Amino acid sequence: MEVTQANFKAVLPQIEQAIRDCLFISVDCELTGLKTEENSVNTFDTPKQYYEKARKDCKEFLVVQYGITLFRLDETTDSIKHKSYNFYTFRRPINHFIQDKRFLSQTSCIDFLIQQSFDFNKLFREGISYLNNVEEDEWRNTIKEQQRLKTESYNSNYNRNHDIVLIPEANQEFIDDVVKQLEAFLASNESELQLPKCNSFLRRLLYQTNSEKFHDKIHLRAHSVNSERILFATKLKCKEESEEIDRIFFEKLKSELDDYIGFSQVIRMIVKSEKIIVGHNFLLDFLHTIDKFLTPLPHDYLDFKDVVKSLFPAVYDTKFIGSSQHFKSIIPSTVLGQLVHTVTTHPFNLPPCEIEQGGQGYDINDSKEHEAGYDSFITGLSFLAMWKHLGDQHNLILSDLIGRRGEGLLKPYKNKIFLMILADNQFLDLEAPDQIVSRDHVFYLTFPKEWTTNNIVQLFSPFGNVYVSWISKTSAYVALYKRDQAALALKTLCQSDTYSIITFARRQRQLAGADLSGTVQPSPIKRRIITNETTQSKRNKTGKFEGSSIRMSKRSIEPIEEEAQSDEDEDNFTASKPRTFAECKSWD
Amino acid sequence: MEVTQANFKAVLPQIEQAIRDCLFISVDCELTGLKTEENSVNTFDTPKQYYEKARKDCKEFLVVQYGITLFRLDETTDSIKHKSYNFYTFRRPINHFIQDKRFLSQTSCIDFLIQQSFDFNKLFREGISYLNNVEEDEWRNTIKEQQRLKTESYNSNYNRNHDIVLIPEANQEFIDDVVKQLEAFLASNESELQLPKCNSFLRRLLYQTNSEKFHDKIHLRAHSVNSERILFATKLKCKEESEEIDRIFFEKLKSELDDYIGFSQVIRMIVKSEKIIVGHNFLLDFLHTIDKFLTPLPHDYLDFKDVVKSLFPAVYDTKFIGSSQHFKSIIPSTVLGQLVHTVTTHPFNLPPCEIEQGGQGYDINDSKEHEAGYDSFITGLSFLAMWKHLGDQHNLILSDLIGRRGEGLLKPYKNKIFLMILADNQFLDLEAPDQIVSRDHVFYLTFPKEWTTNNIVQLFSPFGNVYVSWISKTSAYVALYKRDQAALALKTLCQSDTYSIITFARRQRQLAGADLSGTVQPSPIKRRIITNETTQSKRNKTGKFEGSSIRMSKRSIEPIEEEAQSDEDEDNFTASKPRTFAECKSWD
């Protein structure tokens, strides 16, 4: 079902019910962009470094479509029922207390979406708003503070708490003229006076002047007339009337807040439900889900894991499952569209699946790839098929699969997120320390900016073939194919004025050394998101996190370029210098 | 007439003819955003500082619609004929040699455009591409370089000039299988072999492997099949056949370049025509016009003036004209929609205007404000009306107005661009040094971060009212209403441990001092844009401009906040700290 601002409130109760009833929830996001220019992942990054880069990308781009599919076991028919929702998400400017948002787009992503018939007009016109907990708190506090100041000002002059604006000579005549009109209005029997059209600066001058001259006699308020802002003057019987007008205004602002929380309510319901959540190649989508709709992603990697633990008990990534040892011999490709076709045919044995009666959903043969709702559906279907495959090997029937035995089969895949590009099949472990992989065969090399891959390959040729992963124009990680040559290579190559070589481990210690400017102690983050307390923002105010914030920005100013692994579709050219990845997500 | 990629090539010749025939050209842009968060203009900025900030904003956002209207004197009927074009401009990703563009949007601008029925789907699907001269040169050079490397590689191995990618263990079986297929294909009578579907990384591995094993026997090329990239193998009769295939490919790339120049051709035609160009509140639109479609805006302000001089002989800003001494008594508002209504009624006397026969244009009563084409039309109409008004005062008939005498009347307004927000009606003078205005009554004040406007007002109260223009949380410019109190105020207030006060002039010297890291000598920029020589990029390579680039970034890291002058439409609140402008352009 397509959900926009137009039907959001109406369908929210049925979504809540569906979340409560379901077995698991699969999700998918469409984004305005994947990565900033200066922020590429390196093959030999650690999961922590990967997170720090992905977090940064996540801050720049928007989620413009969010798909969720809810899968339920129907015990009467012993089949799976599913329904899907496809939300357009876009936050229009709220009001001038809250800075209007700037967001980045990547033309390739926009082009990709438009090729998939994404409707940007609908997005911008009917997108559902959202706020994370910190934004919501900020807004509540702003309203409270404004109301407090306003209350204080009832007994003083408007201008005491306002910046005083100089009336430019050119506008003095206009202002004087309006003052005359207001004087006449006060003396008249009229109840309302429409002031002449004027721009926002003149309106500002008029508020100021009105407060100076007619403080407790006239109230000014702007209304839209034919899409122009027009000032209207009304008479105040007493001071209290002005206060009442403002009280109503602030109440309206507060009630509007719920509208602005919008789509975040759905994600909060999911958190509250503690249901299994499933994504495909899930990292970016998962980070956006937290950052945009729940709470800003922490700078610190361990804090991030704490946040996740407090929010989601069980997260699965179908790309991680599909590329695992258990499945890789029977799943030739984990690209989503190919994965779902593989796991819905022999030797896989999908249980009977139907669209929930009275609900709306997709069929696997709908050609709607990259509509978030459809992608969430085929992600969930893939998850179910692989889960069922595990159950079949243990002769579990469908209702057993859903029980504790069945869930136990998923344990090796629980809370593990696939990480594209990284060597050694590393993944992000949401609930445990990351695995430690040997990098003894990897070196950190710096060299003159004229060097190309060939120079590096030549240098290492006595020790066999190498894999070069560029970091900048003058540095790269170099991995030996023959790992046993590592010690000899280091010993042989370590004396040079032209280049420098150190082990991967030593390089990591160097980077970590630069990290020691502040000692960050992660502390548990309670499950406060859904009860709407401001854990995250309070913690930030303690300054504890500023250390990691500074380190982050230091790291990010290093120029990082990646080795060319871009798509060679249209060409087959010689590249003398590294290029950047064309697209991460096109590989998923 | 609406112009998209679909009809652009077809209408380009008539546009060229219309530019050649016209008297003047009025233009208007719709943008994805106006200003970055950290980059606000201060009331007491100099035109140079204003330019430096506007330039920075200009780099972040896109022009998504460009309107031009061409006005022509029809001597047979002694009337003005006009026609308008409304171009959608958007550059889709070109290819992976050229980094796909990231661009910023401001939600308020997107919302504004969507309210005006702007069609974003059309924009992203059918927008016309564009390149400025530096982007065009870069692309030409990249193609040339790739072709050179390719030619060199004919006699060597593919991998000599490529980064060598390690084949992950998991993919080895797939690669081995394809190698077997390719061996069988070589031994067969087939002329083409479709390889199995695979992602871009696997395709990269296949290119590499093919080059290793079948270098001069098999050629691989990807084609789109059902919107998926599929590799096809063809047999090579001889080495020369491979060269020929690549030669054709490079020719195709070069011819595509003209398509990508796209809309820039229109602006180049306008430059070449040396016709009068007119905009309303023109600065941002003018800067985008140069930066996006002609040549990147120089860091240095004087270089910018040189560039403009070499490109446009006569530029007019209707907001500057309308707010000038001559007109301000008869033009109450220079907001475009109000301006055009003022100048098309008494005492103005618009000459007869008609849409060009066979052309398409607008009527003033079309409700299409903020469609770039319509806005360019009413801008041109306003210009014509004010020009005509000047002519009427000298009893010039329409044909005289167009001649040298008529143009002479415009001299006080020529090449002067209105600058919003600045005090003292300052403007940007495109052909002469900027006017020097007295700032003897303005001080630069620094103070504790707890201070509000009231503290400052209190501090200066012995010397009358002040105007406070916030710079940061701890600094502001303070202007005295009573200018003659300046010396006394400085003398009285200069001794304090709580705050510091210096004159405006001294502050400017401080800022200029920070500028002296490199001595930049502007040199004339020749009119090379339209002949497509790379003046700008060559100059950049000399390193001459790097000094100003560094200074620029130093300056931009200073936090700058502006005094609250935002629209008070929806409220009338007390503000204890400065806020930023909600919108500059909403004031125009």
Side-chain angles (χ1 to χ4, degrees):
Chain A
M1 177 189 280
E2 184 175 282
V3 190
T4 66
Q5 194 59 50
N7 62 344
F8 178 67
K9 275 188 182 175
V11 300
L12 196 57
Q14 57 153 289
I15 294 171
E16 185 166 24
Q17 185 61 46
I19 290 172
R20 211 177 294 135
D21 296 343
C22 81
L23 177 60
F24 67 89
I25 303 161
S26 53
V27 306
D28 183 76
C29 299
E30 298 302 325
L31 309 169
T32 62
L34 304 177
K35 59 183 187 56
T36 54
E37 278 175 78
E38 64 287 338
N39 202 26
S40 289
V41 170
N42 187 290
T43 319
F44 294 106
D45 277 345
T46 63
K48 174 175 181 288
Q49 289 160 347
Y50 200 119
Y51 166 76
E52 287 163 349
K53 289 177 182 177
R55 174 188 175 278
K56 217 180 145 195
D57 292 337
C58 184
K59 295 285 175 190
E60 301 292 342
F61 299 106
L62 295 187
V63 176
V64 290
Q65 202 175 60
Y66 202 103
I68 72 172
T69 301
L70 304 128
F71 291 82
R72 182 178 73 84
L73 174 67
D74 181 0
E75 296 187 19
T76 56
T77 59
D78 202 34
S79 68
I80 298 291
K81 296 284 162 69
H82 57 88
K83 55 178 174 178
S84 300
Y85 296 91
N86 192 43
F87 302 87
Y88 282 81
T89 53
F90 185 71
R91 188 197 302 162
R92 274 174 301 281
I94 296 183
N95 62 42
H96 77 261
F97 296 142
I98 300 191
Q99 180 94 25
D100 74 323
K101 218 176 164 59
R102 275 81 174 155
F103 64 95
L104 214 56
S105 303
Q106 217 175 321
T107 50
S108 55
C109 290
I110 299 295
D111 191 52
F112 176 79
L113 287 171
I114 207 87
Q115 299 302 332
Q116 313 295 332
S117 308
F118 186 91
D119 188 338
F120 282 95
N121 293 339
K122 187 178 282 179
L123 171 72
F124 296 140
R125 201 184 302 277
E126 299 178 44
I128 309 161
S129 184
Y130 54 87
L131 293 173
N132 65 31
N133 66 334
V134 169
E135 291 164 330
E136 183 188 342
D137 290 338
E138 273 172 15
W139 209 46
R140 284 195 197 285
N141 291 337
T142 305
I143 296 175
K144 220 181 277 176
E145 175 66 8
Q146 290 295 334
Q147 196 165 15
R148 189 188 64 76
L149 288 170
K150 189 70 193 171
T151 309
E152 270 185 16
S153 76
Y154 290 137
N155 295 316
S156 73
N157 190 296
Y158 165 99
N159 294 324
R160 208 186 89 182
N161 290 306
H162 266 80
D163 300 334
I164 295 155
V165 177
L166 169 74
I167 299 177
E169 222 176 281
N171 302 121
Q172 193 62 56
E173 195 181 323
F174 174 81
I175 301 293
D176 291 347
D177 181 57
V178 173
V179 168
K180 270 182 217 148
Q181 291 184 40
L182 290 172
E183 279 164 352
F185 167 62
L186 266 185
S188 75
N189 290 324
E190 303 298 322
S191 62
E192 188 178 75
L193 174 69
Q194 177 174 344
L195 297 185
K197 264 197 263 188
C198 57
N199 65 28
S200 54
F201 180 66
L202 289 176
R203 289 196 294 273
R204 173 75 170 84
L205 295 179
L206 287 177
Y207 280 120
Q208 176 177 304
T209 306
N210 180 64
S211 181
E212 256 169 49
K213 298 197 186 287
F214 309 105
H215 171 49
D216 50 3
K217 297 194 190 74
I218 292 178
H219 187 269
L220 294 186
R221 180 81 80 209
H223 299 289
S224 284
V225 179
N226 300 330
S227 73
E228 289 190 278
R229 303 295 290 174
I230 302 290
L231 279 183
F232 288 84
T234 50
K235 291 176 194 166
L236 295 171
K237 288 192 199 71
C238 57
K239 207 179 64 192
E240 286 68 31
E241 195 180 343
S242 179
E243 289 175 29
E244 178 62 13
I245 290 171
D246 286 317
R247 199 192 56 73
I248 292 168
F249 178 78
F250 280 110
E251 286 312 309
K252 191 170 148 269
L253 278 190
K254 282 177 200 163
S255 78
E256 277 172 4
L257 184 56
D258 291 329
D259 291 340
Y260 286 117
I261 296 170
F263 178 70
S264 301
Q265 293 174 76
V266 174
I267 303 298
R268 289 177 189 182
M269 286 169 185
I270 292 176
V271 168
K272 201 172 169 185
S273 77
E274 305 193 356
K275 294 290 166 74
I276 291 172
I277 181 164
V278 183
H280 181 83
N281 200 15
F282 197 26
L283 185 73
L284 260 189
D285 289 359
F286 189 53
L287 295 189
H288 275 286
T289 301
I290 296 170
D291 192 65
K292 298 288 185 297
F293 310 120
L294 294 169
T295 191
L297 288 170
H299 288 280
D300 187 89
Y301 181 54
L302 296 178
D303 284 342
F304 161 68
K305 289 193 180 189
D306 279 348
V307 167
V308 172
K309 263 184 256 180
S310 75
L311 294 172
F312 299 102
V315 180
Y316 293 94
D317 183 340
T318 45
K319 195 170 179 79
F320 179 81
I321 304 175
S323 47
S324 68
Q325 200 62 36
H326 182 89
F327 286 105
K328 72 177 186 183
S329 61
I330 47 174
I331 296 179
S333 162
T334 58
V335 172
L336 183 56
Q338 296 171 32
L339 173 67
V340 73
H341 280 104
T342 302
V343 300
T344 48
T345 52
H346 182 78
F348 291 86
N349 178 25
L350 194 68
C353 288
E354 275 173 19
I355 295 171
E356 189 80 66
Q357 212 175 6
Q360 290 180 34
Y362 296 92
D363 181 86
I364 190 173
N365 297 315
D366 291 343
S367 297
K368 297 204 170 171
E369 266 193 65
H370 304 291
E371 179 169 301
Y374 177 79
D375 278 2
S376 75
F377 166 65
I378 58 175
T379 295
L381 216 55
S382 302
F383 174 71
L384 184 65
M386 292 189 286
W387 190 7
K388 178 73 168 31
H389 188 264
L390 293 169
D392 287 350
Q393 294 186 319
H394 294 77
N395 299 314
L396 298 190
I397 58 166
L398 193 56
S399 56
D400 281 346
L401 187 71
I402 307 313
R404 190 179 297 172
R405 271 188 73 197
E407 276 203 41
L409 300 176
L410 288 171
K411 197 153 180 282
Y413 314 105
K414 192 172 172 182
N415 293 328
K416 294 184 173 60
I417 304 283
F418 188 83
L419 295 179
M420 304 269 294
I421 297 157
L422 292 202
D424 313 316
N425 300 317
Q426 280 192 92
F427 55 86
L428 197 163
D429 197 323
L430 295 174
E431 58 179 7
D434 295 305
Q435 59 174 348
I436 293 165
V437 294
S438 165
R439 291 278 161 84
D440 293 345
H441 63 302
V442 182
F443 300 103
Y444 174 74
L445 195 73
T446 63
F447 41 79
K449 66 179 186 308
E450 293 74 24
W451 275 35
T452 66
T453 302
N454 292 333
N455 294 85
I456 300 172
V457 170
Q458 281 300 317
L459 179 69
F460 282 87
S461 56
F463 314 102
N465 230 334
V466 290
Y467 175 60
V468 181
S469 182
W470 287 83
I471 299 164
S472 72
K473 283 181 181 169
T474 57
S475 64
Y477 288 124
V478 183
L480 295 177
Y481 277 59
K482 297 178 183 166
R483 294 185 175 220
D484 59 2
Q485 297 287 301
L488 182 61
L490 184 65
K491 200 175 149 197
T492 313
L493 298 177
C494 69
Q495 303 292 336
S496 168
D497 295 334
T498 312
Y499 61 84
S500 77
I501 181 170
I502 59 173
T503 62
F504 180 83
R506 187 162 158 209
R507 176 61 182 163
Q508 297 310 305
R509 286 196 299 276
Q510 284 180 350
L511 291 173
D515 262 16
L516 295 178
S517 53
T519 310
V520 180
Q521 291 295 337
S523 56
I525 293 198
K526 291 276 183 295
R527 184 186 294 269
R528 294 202 189 163
I529 308 301
I530 53 173
T531 57
N532 191 33
E533 291 174 41
T534 61
T535 322
Q536 193 57 26
S537 63
K538 274 185 202 148
R539 299 185 81 213
N540 283 336
K541 279 181 197 141
T542 66
K544 253 195 193 168
F545 287 80
E546 287 180 19
S548 61
S549 150
I550 290 162
R551 288 174 356 238
M552 187 63 197
S553 64
K554 262 190 197 159
R555 201 175 295 136
S556 69
I557 57 169
E558 291 175 6
I560 296 176
E561 288 189 34
E562 292 302 318
E563 184 177 25
Q565 297 191 17
S566 61
D567 194 339
E568 298 265 330
D569 285 3
E570 294 176 341
D571 58 352
N572 192 1
F573 298 139
T574 49
S576 60
K577 269 288 173 185
R579 295 193 304 268
T580 54
F581 285 99
E583 271 310 295
C584 286
K585 228 188 163 181
S586 67
W587 293 19
D588 69 359
Chain B
M1 177 190 277
E2 183 177 280
V3 190
T4 67
Q5 194 59 51
N7 62 345
F8 179 67
K9 275 189 181 171
V11 299
L12 195 57
Q14 57 153 289
I15 294 172
E16 185 164 25
Q17 185 62 45
I19 290 172
R20 211 176 293 136
D21 295 343
C22 80
L23 179 58
F24 67 89
I25 303 160
S26 54
V27 306
D28 183 76
C29 300
E30 298 303 325
L31 308 170
T32 61
L34 303 177
K35 61 183 186 57
T36 53
E37 280 175 78
E38 64 288 337
N39 201 28
S40 289
V41 170
N42 188 289
T43 320
F44 294 106
D45 277 346
T46 61
K48 175 175 181 287
Q49 288 159 347
Y50 200 119
Y51 166 76
E52 288 163 347
K53 289 176 182 178
R55 173 187 175 279
K56 215 179 146 193
D57 292 337
C58 183
K59 294 286 176 190
E60 301 291 344
F61 299 106
L62 295 188
V63 176
V64 289
Q65 201 175 61
Y66 202 104
I68 71 173
T69 301
L70 303 128
F71 291 83
R72 181 178 73 83
L73 174 67
D74 181 0
E75 294 187 20
T76 57
T77 59
D78 203 34
S79 69
I80 298 292
K81 297 284 161 69
H82 57 88
K83 56 178 174 176
S84 301
Y85 297 90
N86 192 44
F87 302 87
Y88 283 81
T89 53
F90 185 71
R91 188 197 303 162
R92 275 174 299 282
I94 296 184
N95 63 42
H96 75 261
F97 295 141
I98 300 192
Q99 180 94 22
D100 74 324
K101 217 174 163 61
R102 274 81 173 155
F103 64 95
L104 213 57
S105 303
Q106 217 174 323
T107 50
S108 55
C109 290
I110 299 294
D111 191 51
F112 175 80
L113 287 172
I114 208 88
Q115 299 302 332
Q116 313 294 335
S117 308
F118 186 91
D119 188 338
F120 282 95
N121 294 339
K122 188 178 281 179
L123 171 72
F124 296 140
R125 201 185 301 278
E126 298 178 43
I128 309 161
S129 183
Y130 54 88
L131 295 172
N132 66 29
N133 66 335
V134 169
E135 291 164 330
E136 184 188 342
D137 291 338
E138 273 172 14
W139 209 46
R140 284 195 197 284
N141 291 337
T142 304
I143 296 176
K144 221 183 274 175
E145 175 65 9
Q146 290 295 335
Q147 195 165 16
R148 189 189 63 77
L149 286 169
K150 190 71 191 169
T151 309
E152 269 185 16
S153 77
Y154 289 137
N155 295 315
S156 73
N157 189 294
Y158 164 99
N159 294 325
R160 207 185 90 184
N161 290 306
H162 266 79
D163 300 335
I164 294 155
V165 177
L166 170 73
I167 299 178
E169 222 175 280
N171 302 121
Q172 191 64 55
E173 195 181 323
F174 174 81
I175 301 293
D176 291 345
D177 181 57
V178 172
V179 168
K180 270 182 215 147
Q181 290 184 42
L182 289 172
E183 278 165 352
F185 167 61
L186 265 185
S188 75
N189 290 325
E190 303 298 320
S191 62
E192 190 179 73
L193 174 71
Q194 178 173 344
L195 297 185
K197 264 197 263 188
C198 56
N199 66 28
S200 55
F201 179 65
L202 289 177
R203 289 197 293 273
R204 173 75 169 83
L205 295 179
L206 288 178
Y207 281 119
Q208 176 178 303
T209 306
N210 181 64
S211 181
E212 256 170 50
K213 299 198 184 286
F214 310 106
H215 171 50
D216 51 4
K217 296 196 188 72
I218 294 178
H219 186 267
L220 295 185
R221 180 82 79 209
H223 299 290
S224 286
V225 179
N226 300 329
S227 73
E228 290 189 279
R229 302 295 292 174
I230 302 289
L231 279 184
F232 289 84
T234 49
K235 291 177 195 165
L236 294 172
K237 287 196 199 70
C238 56
K239 208 177 63 188
E240 286 67 31
E241 196 181 341
S242 179
E243 290 175 30
E244 178 61 11
I245 289 171
D246 286 315
R247 199 192 55 74
I248 291 168
F249 177 77
F250 280 108
E251 287 311 309
K252 190 169 150 272
L253 278 189
K254 284 179 199 163
S255 78
E256 276 172 5
L257 184 57
D258 291 329
D259 291 340
Y260 287 116
I261 296 170
F263 178 70
S264 301
Q265 293 173 77
V266 174
I267 302 298
R268 289 178 189 181
M269 286 169 186
I270 291 176
V271 169
K272 200 172 171 186
S273 77
E274 304 194 354
K275 293 290 165 77
I276 291 173
I277 180 164
V278 182
H280 182 83
N281 200 15
F282 198 26
L283 186 73
L284 261 189
D285 289 0
F286 189 53
L287 295 189
H288 275 287
T289 301
I290 295 170
D291 193 65
K292 298 287 186 297
F293 310 120
L294 294 169
T295 191
L297 288 170
H299 289 280
D300 188 87
Y301 182 54
L302 297 178
D303 284 342
F304 162 67
K305 290 194 179 190
D306 279 348
V307 167
V308 172
K309 264 185 257 181
S310 74
L311 294 173
F312 298 103
V315 180
Y316 294 95
D317 183 340
T318 46
K319 193 169 181 82
F320 179 81
I321 304 175
S323 49
S324 68
Q325 200 62 36
H326 183 89
F327 285 105
K328 72 178 184 181
S329 61
I330 46 173
I331 295 178
S333 162
T334 59
V335 172
L336 183 56
Q338 295 170 33
L339 173 68
V340 72
H341 281 104
T342 304
V343 301
T344 50
T345 52
H346 182 77
F348 291 87
N349 178 25
L350 193 69
C353 289
E354 276 173 17
I355 294 172
E356 190 80 65
Q357 212 176 4
Q360 290 181 33
Y362 296 92
D363 182 86
I364 190 173
N365 297 315
D366 292 342
S367 297
K368 299 205 169 169
E369 268 193 63
H370 303 293
E371 178 169 301
Y374 176 79
D375 278 3
S376 74
F377 166 65
I378 59 176
T379 295
L381 214 57
S382 301
F383 174 72
L384 184 65
M386 293 189 286
W387 190 6
K388 179 70 167 36
H389 187 265
L390 293 168
D392 287 349
Q393 293 186 318
H394 292 79
N395 299 313
L396 297 189
I397 57 165
L398 192 56
S399 56
D400 280 346
L401 188 70
I402 307 315
R404 192 181 295 175
R405 272 189 72 196
E407 278 203 37
L409 299 176
L410 288 171
K411 194 149 180 281
Y413 314 105
K414 191 174 172 180
N415 294 328
K416 294 185 173 60
I417 304 283
F418 189 83
L419 295 179
M420 303 270 292
I421 299 157
L422 291 201
D424 313 315
N425 301 316
Q426 281 191 92
F427 54 87
L428 196 162
D429 198 321
L430 295 174
E431 57 178 6
D434 296 305
Q435 59 174 350
I436 293 166
V437 294
S438 166
R439 292 278 161 83
D440 293 344
H441 65 302
V442 183
F443 301 104
Y444 174 75
L445 193 73
T446 63
F447 40 79
K449 65 179 187 306
E450 293 74 25
W451 276 33
T452 67
T453 303
N454 292 333
N455 294 87
I456 301 172
V457 169
Q458 282 299 318
L459 180 68
F460 283 87
S461 56
F463 314 102
N465 231 334
V466 290
Y467 174 61
V468 181
S469 182
W470 288 82
I471 298 164
S472 72
K473 283 180 179 169
T474 58
S475 64
Y477 288 123
V478 183
L480 297 175
Y481 277 58
K482 297 178 182 165
R483 295 186 175 217
D484 59 2
Q485 297 287 300
L488 183 60
L490 184 64
K491 201 175 146 196
T492 312
L493 299 177
C494 68
Q495 303 293 336
S496 168
D497 294 333
T498 313
Y499 61 84
S500 77
I501 180 171
I502 59 173
T503 62
F504 180 85
R506 189 162 156 207
R507 176 61 182 163
Q508 297 311 304
R509 286 197 298 275
Q510 282 180 351
L511 292 174
D515 263 14
L516 292 179
S517 53
T519 312
V520 181
Q521 291 295 337
S523 57
I525 293 197
K526 291 280 185 291
R527 183 186 295 267
R528 296 207 188 157
I529 309 301
I530 52 171
T531 57
N532 190 36
E533 293 174 39
T534 63
T535 322
Q536 192 56 24
S537 63
K538 275 183 199 152
R539 297 184 83 211
N540 283 334
K541 281 181 196 143
T542 65
K544 253 192 192 167
F545 287 80
E546 288 181 17
S548 59
S549 150
I550 290 162
R551 289 179 350 242
M552 187 64 199
S553 65
K554 262 188 195 160
R555 203 176 293 136
S556 68
I557 58 170
E558 291 174 6
I560 297 177
E561 289 188 32
E562 291 303 317
E563 182 176 25
Q565 296 190 19
S566 61
D567 195 339
E568 300 264 326
D569 283 3
E570 293 175 343
D571 57 351
N572 192 2
F573 299 139
T574 50
S576 61
K577 270 287 173 186
R579 296 195 302 270
T580 53
F581 284 98
E583 272 309 297
C584 286
K585 231 190 164 183
S586 69
W587 291 21
D588 69 359

